[in-house]
Every structure is written in C-alpha cells, then in structure tokens.
Amino acid sequence: MPQKVILDVDTGGDDAVAILLAGHHPALELVAVTVTHGNAPLSVTLDNTLRVMQAGGLAHIPVYAGAHSPLIGPPIPTHRYQSETLPVPPSTLRAQPKHAVEFLIAYYLGPHGTETIYMPVGPQTNMALALRLEPRLVQRIPRIVTMAGAYQEGNVTPSAEFNVLADPEAAQVVFSSGIPITMIGLEVTSQAPVSEEVVKKTFALGTPQAQIAARLMQREIDWFREHLGVDGQIFDACAVAAVIDPALVETRPMRVCIELQGQWTRGRTVADVSGHHRQPANADVGIHIDRERFYQVLYDGLA
Ligand code: BDR
Ligand code: CA
C-alpha cells in the first residue's frame, strides 16, 4: 500500500520538484496539496502550484489555499528567483473552496488521518493555525516530515533557514506539539546537490513530469552557481525522498526549539546536537543522506 501524504508547499522551483516526485512515485499516494505564503506571496505560490499540478499530470489531486502571511511578523523578503512565476504553462485549475486549515482539520479527524504523513516544505503557518483550532490533531497526525531548519548554519542568516525564519512562531507551535517530527534540514539537503548530469538523466526519462522537473532543476543550478558558486539544491525533494525510502536519511533524536527573540538568531532551530544537555527529544533530525540513492529515488519517481 502506498504511503498517504499531504504536501504543504510554497511553490517555488524545489517545491515543484517535490510535488512532481510525491505525485508520481509509486510508493506514495499524494492525497492533497495545501499551499502557504513563503517563497512568494500566496497568490504566486498558489498559481505556481496549480501550474505544476496541471502540466505535471496531477490535475486530479485537490489543492487548498492556506495562510497568506506569518502568524505574527511581516513576510520576510525573498530573492526574485524565489518569488517569480515559474516557467511552467498557466493552469486552468482552481483551488478547492475550503481553506487549507479547514481541510487539514477535517482530513486529520477523518478516517485516513492517522495513516497520512503531513509534509510541510514551506513555512509552517497552516499547521500552526490548525493545531491552535483543533488540538486533537496531535493524536491524529502520525508523523510530520518537514524540510525545515539547520542544526549548524542557516541559509538566510548565519542562524536561520528560510522556512523557519519565514514564520518562527508557527514552527515553534509545530515543533512543541508532541507530534513525531522528522526534520530534514540544510545539513541533509546540502549533501544532495543536483548537477547538470542529474538534469540530463532526468530529462532523458521523457515523461512530462521529468521534463518539467529537469528544467526547474537547471534553473536552481543556474542560480546557485551564479550566487554561491555551488551546484543547485532541491531542498524539498529531499524530504519527499526521505518518506519514499526511510533508509535514505540517517537521523538522530534531538531536542529542537525555535529561537523567537534573538537579534541575530531569530528563526534558529536550536538543537541539542550532542545530547549532552539531556533534553527530551522532539524530532528525528536528519544528519546524512545517501546521495546516489536520492538521485535514484528521483529518477524512479519521475520516470
Ligand atoms: C527552503 O526555502 C525555500 O526557498 C525552499 O523552497 C525550501 O523549502 C530552503 O531553505
Ligand atoms: Ca519550499
């Protein structure tokens, strides 16, 4: 039986690859996609999501629009490449009439809730709102697997990773909820960069989803090369791959708290990495990914 998942996205090039992988890999059943602000305002992330769903052969999967801003602070500024409309044809699809938060509550209280992994790969505003409205979700969501945070160095500031900095209060609500969490942070995603070789192999798979993913990965590579001088990253796809193949990522249980106040450290995922502080763990934190196996999961899903 494929593993049921709900993906919560702020599409974004790497979110798009994550959607295509989750929607097409035989090991997963993508039940629904919920959308949040993050890489761009909600109007853009929703439009990008609908484009990817239609062009990528996933028009049958419902999409729900969610939070348009963080719980407390203003949206953080983003790079133009993050916030652009993706180079994917416009879609005629529409979001479902229900708000994403209402959908998440109804779904997780329903018959399939306890068997469906929730996967936020953007800011965690939708789930934070859902948990505040319906605390019984803590007993219903079997696991959250999220692309979030870093236990070493951030990518927006030296302390903070983008998805957490984009709504630190929401991340704290989620990380302190008691729901089992797998955190796929920057230490994992940076171990699985994509190069032109991966793009070439993906494109050669020939399916529409592979060709869209290949073009979007090349776009990530171009940006990373120009700005950071390294290969591209498809952060969110690493989290999806970790659900497809649980042995792909090695994790370690850690206590992770979100810094909400620091002048230089707001949005940091403060982790008891050594375990010396003997704080009870609330997350399985990814520390290593098998890179070649990750690429294979990608090819298998997009083929
Ligand atoms: C995360 O930030 C976003 O820009 C990407 O989509 C990814 O989810 C990486 O820090
Ligand atoms: Ca994202």
Side-chain angles (χ1 to χ4, degrees):
M1 280 282 278
Q3 170 64 55
K4 289 184 172 40
V5 294
I6 292 174
L7 207 52
D8 197 323
V9 294
D10 61 332
T11 318
D14 65 315
D15 301 72
V17 179
I19 293 171
L20 295 168
L21 180 59
H24 287 285
H25 199 288
L28 298 186
E29 179 189 341
L30 181 58
V31 174
V33 175
T34 50
V35 186
T36 175
H37 69 95
N39 278 315
L42 182 67
S43 55
V44 179
T45 58
L46 178 61
D47 177 50
N48 280 342
T49 304
L50 295 169
R51 286 172 185 246
V52 171
M53 300 301 285
Q54 189 160 39
L58 301 172
H60 57 287
I61 297 171
V63 172
Y64 296 86
H68 57 75
S69 58
L71 292 185
I72 294 177
I76 59 171
T78 58
H79 286 282
R80 191 173 48 84
Y81 111 103
Q82 262 179 300
S83 59
E84 267 172 6
T85 298
L86 292 176
V88 176
S91 167
T92 54
L93 300 176
R94 293 283 165 267
Q96 299 294 312
K98 228 182 212 174
H99 192 281
V101 174
E102 286 179 285
F103 162 73
L104 288 168
I105 292 172
Y107 182 86
Y108 275 105
L109 292 181
H112 299 295
T114 54
E115 61 200 51
T116 305
I117 292 178
Y118 171 68
M119 301 199 56
V121 294
Q124 309 211 348
T125 320
N126 285 335
M127 183 47 70
L129 289 167
L131 286 167
R132 284 297 187 250
L133 280 168
E134 183 43 271
R136 283 179 297 170
L137 293 189
V138 171
Q139 281 82 48
R140 303 288 302 169
I141 301 176
R143 179 164 287 271
I144 292 177
V145 179
T146 181
M147 192 286 124
Y151 58 84
Q152 292 171 341
E153 192 179 358
N155 59 356
V156 183
T157 71
S159 282
E161 180 278 329
F162 178 83
N163 288 339
V164 178
L165 186 62
D167 194 345
E169 282 76 17
Q172 177 61 7
V173 170
V174 173
F175 272 77
S176 62
S177 65
I179 300 169
I181 293 179
T182 303
M183 173 178 133
I184 304 297
L186 297 176
E187 292 78 15
V188 169
T189 62
S190 61
Q191 289 173 42
V194 287
S195 62
E196 270 85 4
E197 192 198 331
V198 176
V199 169
K200 218 163 100 191
K201 284 191 179 160
T202 304
F203 198 81
L205 297 170
T207 59
Q209 60 269 22
Q211 296 188 340
I212 296 168
R215 279 199 296 272
L216 294 175
M217 288 195 288
Q218 185 61 54
R219 188 172 164 273
E220 298 291 315
I221 293 172
D222 293 343
W223 189 89
F224 272 84
R225 285 267 163 74
E226 189 186 336
H227 292 89
L228 301 173
V230 296
D231 280 346
Q233 283 195 46
I234 46 169
F235 312 90
D236 299 345
C238 295
V240 173
V243 177
I244 292 170
D245 179 356
L248 186 69
V249 175
E250 187 190 335
T251 62
R252 196 185 291 164
M254 295 183 201
R255 182 80 191 169
V256 178
C257 301
I258 316 298
E259 172 59 62
L260 301 177
Q261 289 174 9
Q263 182 184 359
W264 307 109
T265 52
R266 180 167 157 81
R268 181 172 185 81
T269 41
V270 181
D272 181 11
V273 179
S274 65
H276 290 169
H277 303 281
R278 302 192 190 289
Q279 298 171 340
N282 60 344
D284 295 311
V285 178
I287 57 173
H288 180 262
I289 185 168
D290 182 332
R291 179 190 306 193
E292 293 305 322
R293 204 155 148 177
F294 169 64
Y295 301 144
Q296 196 53 53
V297 167
L298 203 59
Y299 304 143
D300 291 346
L302 297 171

